[in-house]
Amino acid sequence: PLDNTLEEELTGSGDKAFRNLHQSLSVFHVALQSIWAILGENGVSVKSLVAVLSFFVLAGKAKAANVQQRVNSLHAASLYMLLLGIPGSIANKVFHEVLLDTCSDLTSHCWPHDSGKKRKKDSLKSSQAEGKRSKPHRKDTPEMEVDEADEEEDEEEELHFSGQDLMKIRDAVVLLVKSLLRFLQTFALKDRPQSASNCTQVTTDSTITSTSSQTEQLRSVPEMAFCGLQLLCLPKHGDQREMVEKSEFRSHGAQAVGMLISQITSTDYACFVKWLFKLSRHSKMVCRLFSVDVVMILLEQPERRPEDCQDPELACFLPHKFLIQNLLFARRMDESPTVQGHALACLAHCLELPSFNVTRAIHTLFSASEIRHTHTRPDWQKYLTKDNMAFLLRRVKDSKPNVRKSALQALVGLLKHDVIPVCWENLAMLSERCRDPAVSVKKKALQCVGELLVAKPECTVVQKAWLQGVVPAVVDSESSVQDKALEILDQVLLSQVKLYSVNCYLDASQKLTWDLLGLLCHESQNLSRYFSRAFTIWSKQNKFTPTFITNLISHTEADHAAGAWLLLSKVVASSPRLPYGKILDAWDSMISSKDISVTTCCHILCVIGDIAAHLNKDTKDRIVNDLMSWLKTFTLSLEVISAAVETLYQLGCSDDIKQTQAFLNQHCGELVSVCESYLAAIILSEEEAQNINEELMVNINPLLAFPSYPNTFFIMQPWTLCCLLTECQEELPASLPLSQFKANSLPTRVRAHGVITLGKLCLQHEELVQKYLPVFARELEIGTDVAVRNNVVVIMCDLCVRYTNIVDHYIPNISACLRDNEAVIREQTLIMLTNLLQEEFVKWKGSLFFRFMVTLVDPVPAIASLCEYCLLHLLLKKNPEMFSQHFIECIFYFNSYSKHKSYNRFPQSESEKVRFSLKGAQHREKRFRIYRFLLEHFTDAQRFNISNKISQTVLACFVDEELSLDAEGAEILSETFNILSLKEMKLQAISALAGVTSGEEPEEENMATMAKAVLQAAQKKVVTQVQKKAFIENTVPLIISLKSLLEQKRSPVLGDLMAYLQVTMQDYRNEVKEFFSGDEQLASEVEFALKKEIPKILKEMLIIKNGLEKKKQLEYRILFFNMS
């Protein structure tokens, strides 16, 4: 700290000493005489001078600083800036990075933050406050300084400044900014990136900083700040991209632009928008991003009137409609995903703006109703509206996660504000994205469906979409997504269960809860298994308190009782104490009622089963009698029958196994005997078709295979169920060939349910699996009923889980269904096999992998897309080498070529070969679609290895004449060369940097990305050398031999070989002779082909250029129509 006497002397003179010194130092910025020499001659230490200035700078930075301290601090900072800007400051050790950063950011500390709020105008009180604060600093311990800092924070609230005080501080701020500009003109920050970044941040903030309630008085401060930004963009201050491409700088810059634009005339405003329109089509991504930011600022300002523009030709640039449609929405097709996503996110934000014209402009883009009300609209704009909507839906499925997130935000905005219809087609997109591969997109989709539900809580289709999106997320593979879904469900469903009475009023949140539960009971029952998972987790968290149960049971007599029973069936098992009387009353009411729904009936049965252990014997006997009477009618639905049988079993369970067995012998055995007697009478009757009651036979099936039955009641008569499929007259031996089975004429529905029943029996008894697996295989091979064969696929895959070794022999029968004529069976088979492969019940043996690959080119796009998802996101993660291990064999398998000693040698029937073959020119595009898919998901190591392996196992076989060059062999060799020529075969380490200049530049460049670029360049150099060496040593000798062989045989494959060399040697144009030193003629031919390729490349570039020009012309035509 300074000497007290010196400090009081400087303080007493006010800012006069600082101003005099400032004026003197300003001369040395242009004078020839050196200030450093003068200071030395007069015995002034530069180090001491900097120390004195830093003392005043830090004193004014304190929160409790008074007016004079703040003014002195700003003047001291100005003097330090001037000293730094004088040549020789570095040599005289004036520069200190921390002090520079402190001085440049001093304005934010010295200007009172509450100056725009209420303050006392009494200058006398201000002077008194100033007097209190003018005491010199004490030399206290750090602990005392901390305590004083806390006290100063409290006292800051009592500090007030008069208008005269603020004027003094403002003048000092202006002086500091001017000094900063002088500093930037002379001092280079190229080697000090942190200081350059801090100066940029401070200058950017100054462009929008107002130091008075009247902005026009301080217009010079933002103007000088913009001059500072311009100076910082000079090369001597380093790479300006690093500073201007950061999102926070763009945001501050856009706000500053908006502040300035708000003060200009309408004509100048139109000229600016015209310039902004050109900027939005700039080649640099950051410029296009900045144009979007500025558009959002301009849309928040009042709309300019066309009549205020002096130039009629510029009037079209004034409306907000132009900004929306021609600047903002036009960026939806930007080549950069970053710009696309930013534009879509801003479009969603526009709907929240209060401007009616902004909302109307967006309606015009998407809403057909808006067009119908405007009779002057041309027909082409109606089609444009549909195209805009279709484009947005495509962006929801974009390959880039950020674009998908922004598109979801835009879609929700359009739905919330009724710009587009709230239909299932649009809402399904939101639900699907809740299962997106990217975690961030999943969470964004969950947020979006939640926002839409809050905006439209009474819309049934929105409620369905919300359930379809949130409920399945409970079993998501990502734990954070699970937690998010559970939190949402808890908030929307559980927390809204309040005590109910007849006279109570359900608020909007409670009504929404019961509407959602009602949907889960009826239209969205398929979500029940996911919903049950949520309750399993909640039960461990003790969420179901006695109060919650009491409140829940109070709703079982309301109009929305179905939802209450649904919740009760989920929570009753984890609730120790329940009012059993009300539950039994509900049971009695259900038995006597004929109007109760199937779903509610199942839920009540579930509750009865869960509380069975707490009921007395008389109550149990009464319920058992009711259930037996019910079941013997065989008129119940399948769902109720299954629930009733499960409840019956729970009522009969006890700790004594013998008692349980006796109960089942008595009641379940009675049901089975009735069922078998009826089935035997029907199936063995000669007048089978006339006597069958189809509904009754379907209802009997669940009673025959319930897992709780003892073996003794059905194991003796399995042939009865087998007759549902085979109509055999005696028990079947396990080794009976498929050709011995006889078809029957039972109805399809009966046979389909018979398959399920027989499958359930097989799951319980291994001896039945051996007998009836041939029956299932026979149905898959020659069956014609879709429902039956679909159920057979499900049953055989379920059996594979329990009896893996037995069913493994029949996996080819199951996988053959991947090429079934019926799409539903192909999809079911794909799903079931994926599950088995995930859990490793099935291995990638035989032809299974190649059959999966054929599904990638399924004629139904949805199935092909599902197969791609299963392979990439479920199976490849478990076996990353899966694609590369099978790639070469794909070439032989899809072309039905079996002459290679190693590949395509597994056993398969002729019908299977024909079914999965992609041989021939007509299937070439499908084969290469598969090859490209596999190669796209190779690592560079896998690409390198597969190239060498193809040379050794395919090309070498033709050179050694292990494979003949007959018609089939020529096709294989030709296809091999075509595969090696694919761009997907090229190493990404080499091709990635080649596309950097034409690709998207990073939004924010920093040291990490620069280091990554350097590492990639080094990696490319190393990889190129390794690849070059491997190509010369392994591939070139084979190519030379093959060329000679193909020339001898005059094979057309020679053209494919030369095309492969032409593609491969693009990166080694100047090294052709080195590569093919053993064959000068081949080297000359390759050089000639490469030279011939140059005009072709130039022609393609010209076509691309013309295409871009046509695209721009089309955009301008659309712009012209919109403006007119």
Side-chain angles (χ1 to χ4, degrees), residues 649-707:
Y649 170 72
Q650 289 177 303
L651 288 166
C653 279
S654 65
D655 296 335
D656 189 344
I657 297 178
K658 292 183 178 180
Q659 289 184 8
T660 304
Q661 187 73 31
F663 178 88
L664 295 176
N665 289 345
Q666 178 184 352
H667 297 94
C668 300
E670 181 181 349
L671 290 173
V672 171
S673 298
V674 174
C675 294
E676 287 192 331
S677 299
Y678 177 80
L679 287 175
I682 293 296
I683 294 174
L684 300 179
S685 173
E686 295 181 358
E687 300 178 352
E688 176 186 333
Q690 290 81 2
N691 296 332
I692 286 181
N693 182 336
E694 183 176 327
E695 191 68 31
L696 183 59
M697 291 191 71
V698 168
N699 289 344
I700 283 175
N701 275 283
L703 298 173
L704 294 171
F706 196 78

Side-chain angles (χ1 to χ4, degrees), residues 856-874:
L856 282 172
V857 292
D858 193 278
V860 178
I863 297 178
S865 177
L866 176 63
C867 180
E868 182 176 333
Y869 174 82
C870 292
L871 286 167
L872 293 181
H873 301 288
L874 302 179

Side-chain angles (χ1 to χ4, degrees), residues 198-214:
N198 289 338
C199 286
T200 304
Q201 180 67 59
V202 170
T203 312
T204 305
D205 292 340
S206 299
T207 60
I208 57 173
T209 299
S210 174
T211 52
S212 174
S213 58
Q214 298 182 5

Side-chain angles (χ1 to χ4, degrees), residues 467-468 518-531 570 597-600 602-603 639:
L467 289 172
Q468 291 288 345
L519 288 173
L520 284 171
C521 290
H522 301 100
E523 299 177 43
S524 301
Q525 290 185 52
N526 59 315
L527 301 175
S528 177
R529 60 185 182 276
Y530 306 115
F531 202 45
K570 306 293 183 184
S597 68
V598 170
T599 306
T600 303
C602 291
H603 292 152
E639 296 84 358

Side-chain angles (χ1 to χ4, degrees), residues 829-1057:
T829 305
L830 176 62
I831 294 171
M832 299 301 293
L833 284 176
T834 299
N835 291 335
L836 293 176
L837 287 163
Q838 268 190 292
E839 301 299 328
E840 298 186 0
F841 292 110
V842 171
K843 304 290 185 182
W844 290 112
K845 294 191 301 185
S847 60
L848 182 58
F849 178 85
F850 311 104
R851 295 183 177 186
F852 253 80
M853 290 300 105
V854 173
T855 313
L856 282 172
V857 292
D858 193 278
V860 178
I863 297 178
S865 177
L866 176 63
C867 180
E868 182 176 333
Y869 174 82
C870 292
L871 286 167
L872 293 181
H873 301 288
L874 302 179
L875 301 176
L876 187 61
K877 292 180 179 180
K878 292 186 70 70
N879 187 0
E881 301 295 326
M882 177 176 69
F883 286 176
S884 59
Q885 287 172 348
H886 296 87
F887 182 81
I888 296 178
E889 195 159 8
C890 284
I891 303 173
F892 296 94
Y893 182 85
F894 296 140
N895 286 281
S896 300
Y897 189 86
S898 56
K899 297 179 182 179
H900 196 281
K901 61 182 179 181
S902 303
Y903 298 125
N904 198 21
R905 306 295 295 177
F906 33 77
Q908 51 185 336
S909 65
E910 288 300 320
S911 62
E912 290 176 336
K913 289 181 181 179
V914 173
R915 180 179 290 189
F916 288 93
S917 174
L918 294 177
K919 184 179 181 180
Q922 70 274 21
H923 296 303
R924 184 183 186 279
E925 205 245 320
K926 291 182 178 178
R927 295 197 303 273
F928 275 82
R929 202 187 312 167
I930 296 173
Y931 299 147
R932 288 191 179 93
F933 170 81
L934 294 173
L935 288 170
E936 283 171 357
H937 299 94
F938 272 24
T939 63
D940 268 355
Q942 290 172 339
R943 289 187 183 91
F944 180 80
N945 292 332
I946 210 71
S947 298
N948 290 333
K949 195 171 181 181
I950 287 176
S951 298
Q952 300 302 321
T953 59
V954 181
L955 301 183
C957 288
F958 284 101
V959 171
D960 299 337
E961 297 187 357
E962 293 179 14
L963 298 177
S964 61
L965 271 173
D966 53 10
E968 291 183 340
E971 289 180 2
I972 290 294
L973 186 57
S974 172
E975 186 136 319
T976 302
F977 282 129
N978 290 331
I979 291 171
L980 290 171
S981 303
L982 291 174
K983 65 177 182 180
E984 290 81 5
M985 183 66 81
K986 192 172 183 179
L987 301 187
Q988 296 301 308
I990 296 177
S991 59
L993 284 181
V996 165
T997 55
S998 60
E1000 179 186 352
E1001 59 204 79
E1003 179 184 353
E1004 295 187 8
E1005 185 175 346
N1006 50 37
M1007 297 302 292
T1009 56
M1010 292 172 65
K1012 184 178 179 181
V1014 173
L1015 182 63
Q1016 285 179 341
Q1019 183 184 12
K1020 176 187 176 182
K1021 187 175 181 179
V1022 173
V1023 170
T1024 302
Q1025 293 300 321
V1026 173
Q1027 188 185 36
K1028 175 182 173 181
K1029 181 180 179 182
F1031 183 72
I1032 293 175
E1033 294 179 356
N1034 302 329
T1035 307
V1036 169
L1038 295 174
I1039 293 295
I1040 294 174
S1041 301
L1042 272 175
K1043 178 179 177 291
S1044 176
L1045 181 63
L1046 293 172
E1047 285 177 340
Q1048 291 176 11
K1049 296 184 176 291
R1050 297 184 178 180
S1051 173
V1053 183
L1054 185 61
D1056 298 306
L1057 183 149

Side-chain angles (χ1 to χ4, degrees), residues 240-253:
Q240 56 269 30
R241 284 193 311 168
E242 184 178 345
M243 295 178 282
V244 300
E245 290 184 5
K246 292 186 177 179
S247 57
E248 61 267 27
F249 292 169
R250 287 202 321 272
S251 177
H252 285 298

Side-chain angles (χ1 to χ4, degrees), residues 119-121 123 126 161-169:
R119 62 174 180 265
K120 296 182 180 179
K121 298 182 179 179
S123 60
S126 174
F161 298 93
S162 66
Q164 185 178 3
D165 295 336
L166 293 175
M167 289 293 290
K168 288 181 181 180
I169 298 176

Side-chain angles (χ1 to χ4, degrees), residues 767-778:
E767 58 270 26
L768 297 183
V769 178
Q770 298 281 7
K771 290 184 178 181
Y772 300 119
L773 268 177
V775 179
F776 296 138
R778 173 251 188 193

